[in-house]
Amino acid sequence: NNPELGLKQHIEETTLRMWKEILGDFKEAQANGTFRKDFKPEFILLITQKIMEMMNDDKISQMFGTPQEMIMELTAFFMYGITPHE
């Protein structure tokens, strides 16, 4: 939280750079048919930010044994929804 150290600014700049790169990757995946052409990559980024907020919620984190377990559940839900998969 100390602005004199510059860590917050560094994290914000790095995060912005990463989001731009991820958006580019998503758009490339849309162009080559890996992702649906009708989804909005920007929406995914907004959802991801909300999910990060949820990960700090004590009620949600108590549902899982470890943070990694929660991340894997979120990833599976995000990728597959609630349908069975192999």
Side-chain angles (χ1 to χ4, degrees):
N1 289 332
N2 185 343
E4 292 178 20
L5 297 176
L7 183 59
K8 182 178 179 186
Q9 181 179 351
H10 172 72
I11 290 172
E12 289 172 355
E13 290 170 358
T14 302
T15 300
L16 181 61
R17 190 178 73 246
M18 290 176 63
W19 284 131
K20 287 180 181 181
E21 187 174 327
I22 290 168
L23 275 175
D25 291 344
F26 281 178
K27 290 177 181 186
E28 183 179 324
Q30 281 182 300
N32 70 27
T34 302
F35 290 167
R36 289 186 350 248
K37 296 200 184 302
D38 64 337
F39 97 97
K40 297 186 182 336
E42 297 82 2
F43 181 64
I44 300 295
L45 295 181
L46 291 173
I47 289 173
T48 302
Q49 290 173 347
K50 294 298 180 184
I51 288 172
M52 294 302 290
E53 290 174 21
M54 290 173 49
M55 291 181 71
N56 292 320
D57 184 311
D58 288 339
K59 287 182 184 178
I60 295 173
S61 63
Q62 289 175 3
M63 297 171 70
F64 302 94
T66 65
Q68 291 81 8
E69 185 182 336
M70 182 173 26
I71 290 167
M72 293 307 294
E73 178 64 28
L74 284 167
T75 302
F77 181 76
F78 191 69
M79 295 302 292
Y80 306 111
I82 60 172
T83 60
H85 66 280
E86 304 223 1

